């Protein structure tokens, strides 16, 4: 568990107008998709099934957002500590459909 702490599969930092689609992860070491300070990102048809590490340090978060105006569409999450997590006051305008 120590090797996977704070590991993120896909992380967008300060990205604008991006797309993540058709992602499939049966076993996730720590965190899945993280959008940090990003906006106008579309995340669609992504499946994350299980988190290997669900202890502290934000592990077990499948879709982790601290950006604004992002669209999450037709995504699936199973056995997560937190599946869809908007974070902080700057996280506004996100749509989870």
């Amino acid at each position: 568990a120590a090797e996977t702490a704070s590991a993120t599969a896909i992380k967008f930092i300060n990205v604008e107008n991006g797309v993540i689609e058709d992602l499939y992860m049966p076993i996730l070491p720590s965190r899945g998709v993280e959008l940090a300070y990003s906006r106008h990102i579309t995340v669609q048809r992504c499946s994350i099934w299980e988190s290997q590490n669900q202890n502290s340090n934000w592990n077990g978060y499948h879709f982790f957002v601290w950006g604004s105006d992002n669209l999450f569409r037709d995504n699936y999450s199973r056995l997560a500590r937190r599946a869809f997590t908007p974070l902080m006051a700057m996280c506004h305008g996100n749509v989870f459909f």
Side-chain angles (χ1 to χ4, degrees):
E3 292 86 19
T4 62
S6 300
T8 304
I10 295 177
K11 185 173 190 176
F12 280 11
I13 302 173
N14 294 321
V15 175
E16 188 173 346
N17 300 326
V19 174
I20 300 171
E21 63 183 2
D22 298 323
L23 176 69
Y24 172 72
M25 287 184 273
I27 296 178
L28 179 68
S30 180
R31 287 184 287 207
V33 175
E34 181 176 352
L35 305 180
Y37 310 107
S38 298
R39 65 187 193 141
H40 301 155
I41 308 295
T42 300
V43 181
Q44 61 186 4
R45 296 185 310 271
C46 296
S47 296
I48 302 174
W49 285 55
E50 181 178 352
S51 294
Q52 183 178 0
N53 188 0
Q54 293 187 17
N55 60 10
S56 60
N57 298 331
W58 305 107
N59 294 317
Y61 286 64
H62 288 181
F63 297 93
F64 190 63
V65 187
W66 28 351
S68 59
D69 302 325
N70 299 302
L71 173 64
F72 291 82
R73 193 178 140 194
D74 300 325
N75 296 301
Y76 179 77
S77 176
R78 185 181 89 178
L79 297 173
R81 184 171 185 217
R82 302 277 188 270
F84 298 92
T85 309
L87 185 71
M88 297 185 166
M90 69 184 141
C91 185
H92 55 81
N94 294 299
V95 177
F96 297 91
F97 175 67

